[in-house]
Amino acid sequence: MRHFEHLAPSVRNGLFHREPVAFDAGSPARTLSVALGATLYSPATRTSLAADAVKQAGQGVVSMVLCLEDSIGDHDVVAAEENLVRQFTALHEARAAVPLLFVRVREAAQITDLVRRLGPAVRLLSGFVLPKFTEERGVPFLEALTEAEAACGQRLFAMPVLESPELLHLETRRETLAGIARVVDKYRDRVLALRLGVTDFCSAYGLRRAPDMTAYDVQLVASVIADVVNVLGRADGSGFTVTGPVWEYFRQHERMFKPQLRRTPFAGPAEELRTALIEHDMDGLLREIQLDRANGLQGKTCIHPSHVAPVHALSVVSHEEFSDAQDILRPERDGGGVLRSAYTNKMNEVKPHRAWAERIMLRAEVFGVAREDVSFVELLSASVGAGA
């Protein structure tokens, strides 16, 4: 699979200076953690999960989470597990092309049980999402994952969700973060990415952000994101990929604030796209994606297919970013120094900007590099048109 594969070759050629590379479930974890992109969640009770997975793969989705936790009722768990086994079996028998598939479980015992019940269809499973992750709660999950991996003979990844009240509350945050850091470091080879459960953070204080506000406008949430990245998202080799929080809205609501999308990038025919994005509350999503990136997060948790194209369009590396990263990483500049960018609008400091440049090149590998005259507007327009 590869990002933007659902676009016609001629369209990709017109958009990309360098097209995204192909990857699969066996690719290096560092590549996969960035390639996750917009991870689409779906309740495991859906009887059309197999068809949904095939459809979404054809529309550009590369990772999905099938949820046995908060998205379904307590009384539906047994039926949802049975449904998951049926749907995986159907996909396996059809030899269908599907996204990377993860299952969000409630309890550690579900991991070994589901792997056993899946049988040969387990080859379609990339791993498990571990809810309300702390050191105490996380160890049994990761031990079960290790046991399941040995039983099926296949690499299985964990994606812990950081969403517990202990992480939110100031008096327990430092200790909780330190404990999480200890356990994920111990199981580093199996931890693909860390996910943020912002809805649970808000729930602890009876809050819910409006569609014209981002997670970063809720200061309680913003402070937790900052501390998580501070401890667990470092660029010194000790950190992990931390993914962006879920965007909850996918239809029109009454708007209190002015739209956040400037008209300038949407000149001419693209003005229609701007109007559609505003009508569907997507301007807030686009703003939050940009703030995710600025705060060290990659990809995003998504609950609606319409969120996927914006996340992926804004994940493509711009020609300017790529040019700067290339210049910074040239072998002859290992000794450091300062140089003017090829775009003559900034100074690139080789040593301080090196970690940034390395991250840009990894994102360029999996999401591609846009042509010099192509912005996210063209990328988004092409993706929205292909999925229509």
Side-chain angles (χ1 to χ4, degrees), residues 223-275:
S223 70
V224 182
I225 294 174
D227 287 345
V228 167
V229 175
N230 190 324
V231 175
L232 298 167
R234 299 175 186 178
D236 60 0
S238 68
F240 295 82
T241 293
V242 183
T243 64
V246 67
W247 182 257
E248 297 180 345
Y249 297 96
F250 49 87
R251 62 187 178 196
Q252 188 174 3
H253 294 260
E254 183 178 355
R255 178 176 295 275
M256 181 176 296
F257 297 108
K258 291 172 61 177
Q260 301 176 63
L261 289 182
R262 294 181 297 109
R263 290 184 180 274
T264 307
F266 292 88
E271 174 64 29
E272 184 177 339
L273 173 61
R274 177 181 181 273
T275 301

Side-chain angles (χ1 to χ4, degrees), residues 78-320:
V78 172
E81 290 177 345
E82 293 172 351
N83 184 55
L84 270 184
V85 173
R86 284 195 301 271
Q87 302 296 326
F88 267 87
T89 300
L91 287 169
H92 179 257
E93 291 175 351
R95 300 184 179 276
V98 295
L100 301 171
L101 297 177
F102 300 84
V103 174
R104 177 167 168 155
V105 291
R106 294 181 172 218
E107 304 294 340
Q110 288 178 302
I111 293 176
T112 50
D113 182 55
L114 283 170
V115 165
R116 176 186 58 80
R117 290 163 66 182
L118 285 172
V122 75
R123 73 172 189 85
L124 297 176
L125 180 66
S126 291
F128 292 90
V129 175
L130 314 180
K132 299 173 179 59
F133 192 91
T134 61
E135 182 177 26
E136 181 180 5
R137 183 172 167 82
V139 169
F141 278 117
L142 290 165
E143 288 177 344
L145 182 78
T146 303
E147 181 182 342
E149 190 178 64
C152 70
Q154 174 177 313
R155 181 176 69 168
L156 295 171
F157 285 116
M159 289 201 289
V161 185
L162 310 186
E163 57 186 347
S164 66
E166 298 93 329
L167 185 58
L168 181 63
H169 297 157
L170 187 60
E171 67 272 20
T172 53
R173 186 180 306 171
R174 183 186 294 271
E175 181 182 349
T176 301
L177 272 172
I180 292 170
R182 284 191 293 269
V183 70
V184 295
D185 185 62
K186 180 179 178 181
Y187 290 90
R188 177 172 293 275
D189 291 345
R190 290 181 172 84
V191 176
L192 183 61
L194 304 176
R195 312 199 73 88
L196 288 166
V198 164
T199 300
D200 280 52
F201 290 158
C202 290
S203 173
Y205 286 88
L207 305 175
R208 187 174 191 178
R209 69 189 189 274
D212 41 12
M213 292 186 179
T214 71
Y216 302 92
D217 293 313
V218 183
Q219 291 303 302
L220 280 167
V221 170
S223 70
V224 182
I225 294 174
D227 287 345
V228 167
V229 175
N230 190 324
V231 175
L232 298 167
R234 299 175 186 178
D236 60 0
S238 68
F240 295 82
T241 293
V242 183
T243 64
V246 67
W247 182 257
E248 297 180 345
Y249 297 96
F250 49 87
R251 62 187 178 196
Q252 188 174 3
H253 294 260
E254 183 178 355
R255 178 176 295 275
M256 181 176 296
F257 297 108
K258 291 172 61 177
Q260 301 176 63
L261 289 182
R262 294 181 297 109
R263 290 184 180 274
T264 307
F266 292 88
E271 174 64 29
E272 184 177 339
L273 173 61
R274 177 181 181 273
T275 301
L277 291 170
I278 292 169
E279 287 177 348
H280 291 84
D281 292 325
M282 291 296 187
D283 53 329
L285 170 61
L286 293 173
R287 174 67 174 158
E288 187 166 285
I289 296 167
Q290 291 173 317
L291 288 169
D292 287 342
R293 186 73 37 71
N295 284 277
L297 309 184
Q298 300 272 3
K300 202 161 187 66
T301 295
C302 296
I303 52 144
H304 195 272
S306 63
H307 299 169
V308 173
V311 174
H312 290 172
L314 282 171
S315 296
V316 175
V317 172
S318 71
H319 189 272
E320 181 175 347

